[in-house]
Amino acid sequence: MSLFTCIVEGRLTASPQTGHTRDGREYVQFPIVHRDRYRDHSGKWVDTRAMFFEVMCWGDLAARARNLTRGDQVLVEAGQLLPYLNDSDMPSLKVQVRNLSVSMRFTDAHAGPAVKARCGDIVTTPDGEQYVAHLYPEVTTDPQLLHR
């Protein structure tokens, strides 16, 4: 049971970086920025100060988080918040992630490289079946499958 829950929505400011601890555990880390905005009494949008977080994922979650790209909007459920001083001696927070999801509040879901099919492209599956690219399930991420 958790007595603490913190969820941060933010946009990746860089692509995830993969690393390994000395004992071989894989991790993925990436920075996100959270910007909040509101309408003032005159109806104009006002942006609040940006907050930056360094996000760390471990294990299976790290393997999936590797597919995120710079600019993706994510929801991060913090398992632990660790304060530290960054390279500029500014206070920062490192977030150990309990759960991570792609946010669809402002745009369609996206996690990983998308290959856009051109009109008329044919996809040949590993089993040799051929489909028109726009009918092929999900997103074709293997450019070797696409051909004219």
XYZ file of all heavy atoms in Angstrom, residues 14-92:
640
model
N 14.172 15.585 -24.294
C 15.246 14.852 -24.981
C 14.806 13.395 -25.089
O 13.944 12.937 -24.340
C 16.556 14.948 -24.211
N 15.393 12.670 -26.012
C 15.090 11.248 -26.147
C 15.662 10.484 -24.962
O 16.663 10.889 -24.373
C 15.672 10.702 -27.444
O 14.992 11.268 -28.544
N 15.026 9.376 -24.585
C 15.506 8.578 -23.451
C 16.919 8.043 -23.672
O 17.296 7.695 -24.787
C 14.509 7.430 -23.375
C 13.286 7.929 -24.058
C 13.772 8.850 -25.133
N 17.683 8.002 -22.590
C 19.040 7.449 -22.599
C 19.034 6.157 -21.786
O 18.538 6.127 -20.664
C 20.027 8.434 -21.975
C 20.095 9.765 -22.693
C 20.617 9.633 -24.103
O 21.604 8.955 -24.341
N 19.940 10.265 -25.042
N 19.613 5.108 -22.347
C 19.682 3.810 -21.674
C 21.026 3.669 -20.980
O 22.040 4.125 -21.491
C 19.511 2.675 -22.694
O 18.282 2.864 -23.381
C 19.499 1.316 -22.030
N 21.001 3.029 -19.824
C 22.236 2.779 -19.099
C 22.117 1.511 -18.270
O 21.053 0.889 -18.210
N 23.215 1.137 -17.645
C 23.245 -0.045 -16.784
C 23.979 0.297 -15.495
O 24.953 1.047 -15.518
C 23.949 -1.221 -17.476
C 23.189 -1.756 -18.639
N 23.269 -1.202 -19.904
C 22.320 -2.787 -18.723
C 22.493 -1.873 -20.715
N 21.900 -2.842 -20.032
N 23.498 -0.254 -14.395
C 24.191 -0.071 -13.124
C 25.412 -0.980 -13.107
O 25.603 -1.809 -14.000
C 23.267 -0.426 -11.940
O 22.900 -1.798 -12.041
C 22.021 0.454 -11.925
N 26.232 -0.848 -12.069
C 27.435 -1.699 -11.956
C 27.089 -3.175 -11.882
O 27.851 -4.018 -12.329
C 28.231 -1.304 -10.713
C 28.999 -0.046 -10.910
C 29.843 0.292 -9.702
N 29.679 1.712 -9.485
C 29.480 2.301 -8.335
N 29.444 1.599 -7.241
N 29.316 3.591 -8.261
N 25.911 -3.482 -11.297
C 25.523 -4.891 -11.194
C 24.697 -5.362 -12.398
O 24.149 -6.456 -12.399
C 24.784 -5.174 -9.887
C 23.484 -4.416 -9.753
O 23.170 -3.578 -10.623
O 22.762 -4.667 -8.762
N 24.600 -4.547 -13.464
C 23.986 -4.972 -14.709
C 22.512 -4.661 -14.876
O 21.923 -5.025 -15.892
N 21.880 -3.987 -13.900
C 20.466 -3.628 -14.048
C 20.323 -2.517 -15.085
O 21.030 -1.524 -15.040
C 19.882 -3.147 -12.723
C 19.640 -4.264 -11.740
C 18.980 -3.777 -10.465
N 17.672 -3.205 -10.752
C 17.076 -2.305 -9.975
N 17.661 -1.859 -8.888
N 15.889 -1.834 -10.298
N 19.364 -2.698 -16.010
C 19.141 -1.700 -17.041
C 18.206 -0.610 -16.514
O 17.261 -0.871 -15.781
C 18.502 -2.330 -18.280
C 18.247 -1.329 -19.382
C 17.515 -1.910 -20.572
O 16.883 -2.967 -20.432
O 17.570 -1.287 -21.632
N 18.487 0.625 -16.902
C 17.592 1.735 -16.598
C 17.503 2.645 -17.814
O 18.340 2.605 -18.710
C 18.051 2.531 -15.372
C 19.350 3.263 -15.564
C 19.384 4.547 -16.087
C 20.564 2.666 -15.216
C 20.586 5.224 -16.261
C 21.760 3.332 -15.383
C 21.762 4.607 -15.905
O 22.938 5.275 -16.086
N 16.438 3.421 -17.868
C 16.245 4.430 -18.903
C 15.915 5.721 -18.180
O 15.121 5.727 -17.241
C 15.106 4.039 -19.868
C 14.734 5.187 -20.776
C 15.506 2.830 -20.689
N 16.565 6.803 -18.588
C 16.234 8.093 -17.987
C 16.043 9.142 -19.071
O 16.607 9.040 -20.152
C 17.276 8.536 -16.974
C 18.619 8.897 -17.503
C 19.551 9.303 -16.367
O 19.416 8.850 -15.244
N 20.492 10.147 -16.676
N 15.182 10.113 -18.754
C 14.907 11.192 -19.697
C 14.348 12.386 -18.922
O 13.730 12.223 -17.870
C 13.927 10.753 -20.789
C 12.666 10.118 -20.264
C 11.552 10.881 -19.942
C 12.589 8.747 -20.115
C 10.396 10.297 -19.475
C 11.444 8.143 -19.638
C 10.338 8.921 -19.317
N 14.589 13.588 -19.422
C 14.061 14.783 -18.774
C 12.683 15.127 -19.328
O 12.406 14.926 -20.523
C 15.073 15.867 -19.162
C 15.617 15.408 -20.474
C 15.566 13.906 -20.457
N 11.792 15.604 -18.446
C 10.510 16.130 -18.891
C 10.339 17.533 -18.324
O 10.950 17.893 -17.316
C 9.307 15.250 -18.488
C 9.128 15.198 -16.970
C 9.411 13.867 -19.088
C 7.826 14.544 -16.535
N 9.520 18.322 -18.983
C 9.179 19.653 -18.510
C 7.663 19.714 -18.347
O 6.919 19.221 -19.193
C 9.682 20.765 -19.466
C 9.068 20.653 -20.845
C 9.425 22.142 -18.868
N 7.238 20.269 -17.224
C 5.817 20.481 -16.960
C 5.565 21.978 -17.006
O 6.217 22.746 -16.293
C 5.427 19.937 -15.582
C 4.052 20.350 -15.178
N 2.928 19.738 -15.663
C 3.620 21.336 -14.359
C 1.863 20.319 -15.153
N 2.259 21.293 -14.357
N 4.674 22.382 -17.887
C 4.280 23.791 -17.975
C 2.782 23.865 -17.752
O 2.019 23.182 -18.426
C 4.611 24.376 -19.344
C 6.068 24.587 -19.574
C 6.293 25.365 -20.877
N 7.702 25.612 -21.069
C 8.509 24.835 -21.762
N 8.043 23.748 -22.324
N 9.782 25.135 -21.892
N 2.372 24.676 -16.836
C 0.953 24.855 -16.578
C 0.537 26.220 -17.088
O 1.352 27.149 -17.139
C 0.672 24.741 -15.083
C -0.754 24.313 -14.811
O -1.486 24.014 -15.778
O -1.142 24.276 -13.637
N -0.705 26.347 -17.468
C -1.194 27.640 -17.909
C -2.626 27.811 -17.449
O -3.326 26.841 -17.202
C -1.047 27.787 -19.422
C -1.719 26.752 -20.237
C -1.368 26.726 -21.706
N -1.211 28.009 -22.308
C -1.492 28.297 -23.566
N -1.974 27.358 -24.346
N -1.312 29.486 -24.064
N -3.031 29.050 -17.341
C -4.392 29.362 -16.939
C -4.815 30.667 -17.617
O -3.991 31.406 -18.140
C -4.496 29.485 -15.417
C -3.670 30.605 -14.838
C -4.226 31.878 -14.662
C -2.344 30.407 -14.464
C -3.467 32.915 -14.140
C -1.585 31.439 -13.944
C -2.161 32.693 -13.782
O -1.415 33.717 -13.270
N -6.125 30.940 -17.587
C -6.636 32.193 -18.143
C -6.781 33.206 -17.009
O -7.331 32.896 -15.965
C -7.986 31.992 -18.807
C -7.902 31.239 -20.113
C -9.284 31.257 -20.773
N -9.319 30.378 -21.902
C -9.183 30.789 -23.161
N -9.020 32.058 -23.437
N -9.226 29.934 -24.146
N -6.268 34.405 -17.247
C -6.425 35.446 -16.230
C -7.821 36.073 -16.366
O -8.638 35.645 -17.182
C -5.302 36.484 -16.328
C -5.329 37.270 -17.626
O -6.294 37.146 -18.406
O -4.363 38.027 -17.858
N -8.085 37.090 -15.565
C -9.417 37.707 -15.530
C -9.816 38.343 -16.865
O -10.990 38.500 -17.152
C -9.491 38.742 -14.406
C -8.554 39.890 -14.594
N -7.222 39.811 -14.266
C -8.756 41.133 -15.101
C -6.633 40.962 -14.561
N -7.539 41.780 -15.060
N -8.835 38.672 -17.710
C -9.154 39.264 -19.016
C -9.288 38.204 -20.115
O -9.570 38.539 -21.259
C -8.084 40.284 -19.409
O -6.855 39.624 -19.645
N -9.077 36.930 -19.778
C -9.218 35.855 -20.752
C -7.942 35.502 -21.482
O -7.936 34.633 -22.339
N -6.815 36.176 -21.161
C -5.538 35.867 -21.810
C -4.886 34.667 -21.122
O -4.970 34.511 -19.909
C -4.601 37.074 -21.725
C -5.060 38.232 -22.596
C -4.252 39.484 -22.377
C -2.817 39.326 -22.757
N -2.045 40.579 -22.656
N -4.219 33.831 -21.938
C -3.505 32.682 -21.381
C -2.233 33.165 -20.697
O -1.484 33.954 -21.258
C -3.147 31.676 -22.465
C -4.302 30.827 -22.879
C -5.026 30.932 -24.015
C -4.869 29.743 -22.148
N -6.008 29.980 -24.053
C -5.936 29.232 -22.909
C -4.591 29.159 -20.918
C -6.718 28.161 -22.493
C -5.370 28.094 -20.503
C -6.415 27.608 -21.284
N -1.987 32.648 -19.500
C -0.780 32.963 -18.738
C -0.038 31.661 -18.480
O -0.611 30.714 -17.932
C -1.126 33.655 -17.400
C 0.126 33.906 -16.589
C -1.907 34.930 -17.642
N 1.237 31.598 -18.909
C 2.057 30.420 -18.644
C 2.738 30.574 -17.295
O 3.286 31.632 -16.981
C 3.127 30.242 -19.725
C 2.531 29.808 -21.047
O 1.573 29.008 -21.015
O 3.010 30.265 -22.095
N 2.701 29.504 -16.500
C 3.413 29.520 -15.229
C 4.851 29.087 -15.468
O 5.219 28.663 -16.566
C 2.748 28.573 -14.208
O 2.793 27.249 -14.718
C 1.312 28.986 -13.944
N 5.654 29.163 -14.445
C 7.061 28.766 -14.546
C 7.175 27.277 -14.880
O 6.431 26.463 -14.373
C 7.719 29.041 -13.206
C 9.145 28.618 -13.151
C 9.679 28.792 -11.768
N 10.667 29.847 -11.803
C 11.212 30.364 -10.737
N 10.838 29.974 -9.554
N 12.124 31.281 -10.855
N 8.093 26.955 -15.741
C 8.320 25.561 -16.129
C 9.010 24.814 -14.990
O 9.871 25.366 -14.308
C 9.174 25.497 -17.386
N 8.604 23.568 -14.788
C 9.248 22.703 -13.799
C 9.872 21.525 -14.537
O 9.227 20.904 -15.380
C 8.235 22.197 -12.776
C 7.691 23.291 -11.886
S 6.561 22.653 -10.637
C 5.135 22.287 -11.637
N 11.129 21.234 -14.235
C 11.861 20.158 -14.911
C 12.043 18.985 -13.957
O 12.308 19.165 -12.773
C 13.221 20.662 -15.388
C 13.113 21.695 -16.467
C 12.999 23.039 -16.155
C 13.090 21.312 -17.799
C 12.885 23.988 -17.151
C 12.970 22.256 -18.799
C 12.867 23.603 -18.472
N 11.922 17.776 -14.496
C 12.089 16.548 -13.729
C 12.990 15.610 -14.527
O 12.915 15.553 -15.752
C 10.748 15.849 -13.506
C 9.756 16.664 -12.740
C 8.907 17.544 -13.388
C 9.659 16.557 -11.362
C 7.982 18.298 -12.701
C 8.734 17.306 -10.658
C 7.900 18.187 -11.327
N 13.824 14.867 -13.832
C 14.629 13.806 -14.439
C 13.930 12.496 -14.089
O 13.782 12.160 -12.914
C 16.054 13.829 -13.886
C 16.995 12.904 -14.591
C 17.264 13.321 -16.028
O 17.263 14.524 -16.331
O 17.465 12.419 -16.849
N 13.469 11.769 -15.088
C 12.657 10.571 -14.895
C 13.522 9.331 -15.068
O 14.283 9.235 -16.024
C 11.478 10.560 -15.902
C 10.664 9.300 -15.781
C 10.608 11.796 -15.711
N 13.398 8.370 -14.136
C 14.159 7.112 -14.185
C 13.199 5.931 -14.178
O 12.340 5.843 -13.314
C 15.084 6.977 -12.975
C 16.082 8.056 -12.865
S 17.814 7.648 -12.983
C 18.006 5.957 -13.136
N 13.367 5.039 -15.164
C 12.565 3.818 -15.260
C 13.491 2.613 -15.140
O 14.614 2.647 -15.627
C 11.841 3.752 -16.606
S 10.740 5.114 -16.924
N 12.973 1.559 -14.534
C 13.758 0.347 -14.317
C 13.040 -0.867 -14.889
O 11.833 -0.869 -15.037
C 13.989 0.131 -12.822
C 14.772 1.218 -12.189
C 14.287 2.361 -11.634
C 16.182 1.300 -12.073
N 15.305 3.139 -11.169
C 16.486 2.507 -11.423
C 17.228 0.464 -12.447
C 17.782 2.898 -11.144
C 18.526 0.852 -12.164
C 18.793 2.059 -11.510
N 13.780 -1.932 -15.171
C 13.226 -3.232 -15.553
C 12.416 -3.195 -16.830
O 12.800 -2.571 -17.828
N 11.256 -3.887 -16.807
C 10.401 -3.983 -17.993
C 9.892 -2.617 -18.430
O 9.743 -2.355 -19.621
C 9.207 -4.900 -17.726
C 9.618 -6.354 -17.551
O 10.711 -6.718 -18.035
O 8.853 -7.122 -16.938
N 9.615 -1.756 -17.471
C 9.146 -0.408 -17.803
C 10.229 0.357 -18.562
O 9.939 1.099 -19.500
C 8.738 0.338 -16.532
C 8.038 1.673 -16.720
C 6.786 1.526 -17.570
C 7.684 2.269 -15.373
N 11.472 0.154 -18.196
C 12.584 0.800 -18.904
C 12.644 0.323 -20.350
O 12.869 1.121 -21.260
C 13.907 0.508 -18.202
N 12.414 -0.962 -20.562
C 12.451 -1.502 -21.926
C 11.370 -0.870 -22.795
O 11.591 -0.603 -23.976
C 12.294 -3.023 -21.892
N 10.209 -0.604 -22.221
C 9.130 0.033 -22.983
C 9.352 1.531 -23.131
O 9.033 2.121 -24.161
C 7.793 -0.267 -22.329
C 7.370 -1.722 -22.506
C 5.982 -1.975 -21.975
N 5.883 -1.908 -20.533
C 6.199 -2.907 -19.704
N 6.645 -4.038 -20.188
N 6.065 -2.773 -18.412
N 9.899 2.176 -22.111
C 10.122 3.626 -22.146
C 11.182 4.002 -23.178
O 11.217 5.142 -23.627
C 10.535 4.128 -20.760
N 12.024 3.060 -23.551
C 13.052 3.292 -24.562
C 12.456 3.776 -25.885
O 13.112 4.455 -26.654
C 13.782 1.971 -24.814
C 15.240 2.086 -24.918
C 15.908 0.771 -25.224
N 15.742 -0.197 -24.154
C 15.551 -1.496 -24.338
N 15.507 -2.006 -25.539
N 15.420 -2.304 -23.316
N 11.186 3.423 -26.150
C 10.530 3.772 -27.413
C 9.981 5.190 -27.451
O 9.490 5.626 -28.483
C 9.395 2.787 -27.706
C 9.918 1.405 -27.979
O 10.978 1.253 -28.565
N 9.202 0.405 -27.538
N 10.017 5.906 -26.340
C 9.551 7.291 -26.350
C 10.526 8.153 -27.143
O 11.684 7.790 -27.314
C 9.436 7.818 -24.916
C 8.361 7.154 -24.055
C 8.530 7.559 -22.601
C 6.978 7.502 -24.554
N 10.050 9.292 -27.615
C 10.917 10.213 -28.342
C 10.721 11.621 -27.814
O 9.719 11.923 -27.152
C 10.618 10.211 -29.856
O 9.252 10.561 -30.066
C 10.893 8.861 -30.480
N 11.686 12.468 -28.109
C 11.611 13.871 -27.697
C 10.294 14.462 -28.198
O 9.905 14.267 -29.339
C 12.784 14.636 -28.296
C 12.829 16.069 -27.905
C 14.081 16.714 -28.475
N 14.233 18.045 -27.961
C 13.977 19.141 -28.660
N 13.587 19.042 -29.910
N 14.115 20.320 -28.109
N 9.595 15.165 -27.306
C 8.329 15.793 -27.668
C 7.106 15.013 -27.236
O 6.008 15.560 -27.211
N 7.254 13.719 -26.897
C 6.103 12.945 -26.429
C 5.591 13.516 -25.114
O 6.372 13.890 -24.235
C 6.472 11.470 -26.225
C 6.609 10.703 -27.525
O 6.139 11.207 -28.560
O 7.185 9.604 -27.490
N 4.270 13.568 -24.971
C 3.628 14.020 -23.728
C 3.347 12.774 -22.892
O 2.736 11.829 -23.393
C 2.326 14.749 -24.066
C 1.620 15.360 -22.899
C 2.099 16.766 -22.599
O 2.865 17.348 -23.339
N 1.654 17.311 -21.497
N 3.799 12.736 -21.641
C 3.648 11.551 -20.804
C 3.050 11.910 -19.444
O 3.130 13.055 -18.997
C 5.001 10.827 -20.581
C 5.531 10.251 -21.874
C 6.022 11.737 -19.933
N 2.459 10.900 -18.812
C 2.016 10.971 -17.429
C 2.926 10.058 -16.628
O 3.049 8.867 -16.945
C 0.565 10.510 -17.284
C -0.484 11.418 -17.885
C -1.824 10.712 -17.951
C -0.590 12.684 -17.080
N 3.563 10.603 -15.616
C 4.517 9.855 -14.805
C 3.949 9.700 -13.401
O 3.662 10.699 -12.736
C 5.873 10.601 -14.739
C 6.829 9.873 -13.823
C 6.453 10.774 -16.122
N 3.780 8.458 -12.966
C 3.379 8.196 -11.582
C 4.652 7.934 -10.788
O 5.375 6.977 -11.048
C 2.456 6.993 -11.500
C 2.007 6.698 -10.081
C 1.137 5.457 -9.986
O 0.677 4.941 -11.019
O 0.929 5.000 -8.843
N 4.919 8.826 -9.856
C 6.164 8.747 -9.103
C 6.078 7.689 -8.011
O 5.113 7.640 -7.260
C 6.481 10.099 -8.470
N 7.088 6.849 -7.945
C 7.225 5.921 -6.846
C 8.052 6.558 -5.741
O 7.867 6.306 -4.567
N 8.961 7.445 -6.145
C 9.851 8.109 -5.200
C 10.357 9.399 -5.841
O 10.632 9.437 -7.039
C 11.013 7.180 -4.890
C 11.866 7.593 -3.743
C 12.917 6.528 -3.439
O 13.324 5.761 -4.315
N 13.359 6.491 -2.219
N 10.448 10.455 -5.060
C 11.014 11.724 -5.509
C 12.320 11.949 -4.772
O 12.355 11.894 -3.543
C 10.051 12.881 -5.225
C 8.728 12.851 -5.967
C 7.811 13.962 -5.467
C 8.943 12.997 -7.457
N 13.394 12.174 -5.520
C 14.707 12.352 -4.905
C 15.249 13.738 -5.247
O 15.576 14.003 -6.406
C 15.671 11.282 -5.426
C 15.200 9.839 -5.262
C 16.038 8.905 -6.113
C 15.248 9.453 -3.813
N 15.326 14.640 -4.282
C 15.871 15.970 -4.566
C 17.390 15.917 -4.727
O 18.064 15.116 -4.084
C 15.484 16.781 -3.336
C 15.298 15.782 -2.257
C 14.893 14.497 -2.912
N 17.938 16.753 -5.608
C 19.381 16.840 -5.799
C 19.706 18.185 -6.414
O 18.823 18.921 -6.849
C 19.888 15.691 -6.684
C 19.505 15.795 -8.141
C 20.418 16.245 -9.092
C 18.226 15.446 -8.576
C 20.067 16.348 -10.433
C 17.877 15.547 -9.912
C 18.795 16.002 -10.831
O 18.444 16.114 -12.144
N 20.975 18.528 -6.454
C 21.425 19.745 -7.116
C 21.936 19.370 -8.501
O 22.794 18.505 -8.636
C 22.538 20.424 -6.316
C 22.140 20.974 -4.945
C 23.359 21.528 -4.218
C 21.084 22.040 -5.095
N 21.396 20.026 -9.540
C 21.821 19.697 -10.891
C 23.170 20.328 -11.206
O 23.820 20.914 -10.340
C 20.745 20.088 -11.913
C 20.525 21.579 -12.004
O 21.346 22.375 -11.549
N 19.416 21.963 -12.599
N 23.603 20.236 -12.464
C 24.918 20.751 -12.872
C 25.065 22.247 -12.636
O 26.180 22.754 -12.499
C 25.174 20.438 -14.344
C 25.241 18.942 -14.606
O 25.541 18.191 -13.657
O 24.999 18.531 -15.756
N 23.951 22.961 -12.608
C 23.972 24.414 -12.378
C 23.743 24.771 -10.917
O 23.432 25.912 -10.592
C 22.891 25.092 -13.222
O 23.041 24.767 -14.571
N 23.846 23.775 -10.024
C 23.589 23.940 -8.596
C 22.181 24.433 -8.295
O 21.939 25.108 -7.305
C 24.612 24.878 -7.939
C 25.948 24.187 -7.735
O 25.955 22.938 -7.639
O 26.973 24.884 -7.677
N 21.239 24.101 -9.174
C 19.833 24.427 -8.961
C 19.141 23.198 -8.387
O 19.438 22.072 -8.783
C 19.161 24.813 -10.285
C 19.739 26.046 -10.941
S 19.402 27.535 -10.013
C 17.649 27.645 -10.201
N 18.199 23.400 -7.444
C 17.460 22.246 -6.904
C 16.624 21.583 -7.989
O 15.971 22.260 -8.776
C 16.568 22.851 -5.830
C 16.870 24.288 -5.766
C 17.810 24.651 -6.860
N 16.674 20.277 -8.048
C 15.932 19.503 -9.047
C 15.346 18.271 -8.386
O 15.717 17.919 -7.266
C 16.846 19.082 -10.187
O 17.375 20.205 -10.837
